[in-house]
Amino acid sequence: QVQLVESGGGLVQPGGSLRLSCAASGHPYNRNALGWFRQAPGKEREFVAAVNRLVNTLYSDSVTGRFTISSDYLMTTVHLQMNNLKPEDTAVYFCAAAGELSRHASDFNSWGQGTQVTVSP
């Protein structure tokens, strides 16, 4: 079992930046990879980014070049630096843990409660 607690969401204007953080604890083998997903109202949860202990990363096409994911080797904290934010980035952002790097929600075994990100003038 892995416990995940997100922080750092909020309201930002288009073109602005936010940094999300997620504190992870629990069984280390279940958090060899940490990732971020998001869910906008009326839409399905979608993959944003993921990182593993080897610092291999995955990004969705919609955030590549704007978002950066990072973590410590022990996978106790994962950050998502979000730059040049757009209104379509508005969503609840969830931190998740997996045994291996993946972009598929079904591969992630633990989830945080989520943090709201709103991009609006």
Side-chain angles (χ1 to χ4, degrees):
Q1 193 78 1
V2 176
Q3 293 76 44
L4 302 163
V5 179
E6 304 100 334
S7 60
L11 173 65
V12 64
Q13 293 185 344
S17 298
L18 278 177
R19 181 178 171 87
L20 303 183
S21 297
C22 175
S25 60
H27 201 295
Y29 293 108
N30 289 333
R31 47 184 170 92
N32 287 322
L34 295 172
W36 291 94
F37 290 75
R38 67 187 182 187
Q39 187 167 19
K43 295 187 177 181
E44 293 186 354
R45 189 170 299 188
E46 66 171 354
F47 171 76
V48 176
V51 61
N52 67 5
R53 294 181 186 273
L54 300 178
V55 202
N56 296 313
T57 57
L58 295 173
Y59 293 95
S60 69
D61 290 343
S62 62
V63 307
T64 296
R66 300 188 298 123
F67 292 11
T68 303
I69 190 169
S70 62
S71 69
D72 61 311
Y73 177 75
L74 294 178
M75 308 302 277
T76 60
T77 306
V78 62
H79 302 287
L80 186 68
Q81 177 66 43
M82 305 185 294
N83 298 328
N84 190 22
L85 282 159
K86 305 175 181 180
E88 52 264 41
D89 294 317
T90 295
V92 177
Y93 284 69
F94 297 90
C95 177
E100 59 183 18
L101 192 65
S102 173
R103 61 177 68 240
H104 303 293
S106 58
D107 291 330
F108 288 78
N109 51 65
S110 298
W111 295 82
Q113 295 291 331
T115 184
Q116 177 70 46
V117 171
T118 302
V119 184
S120 179

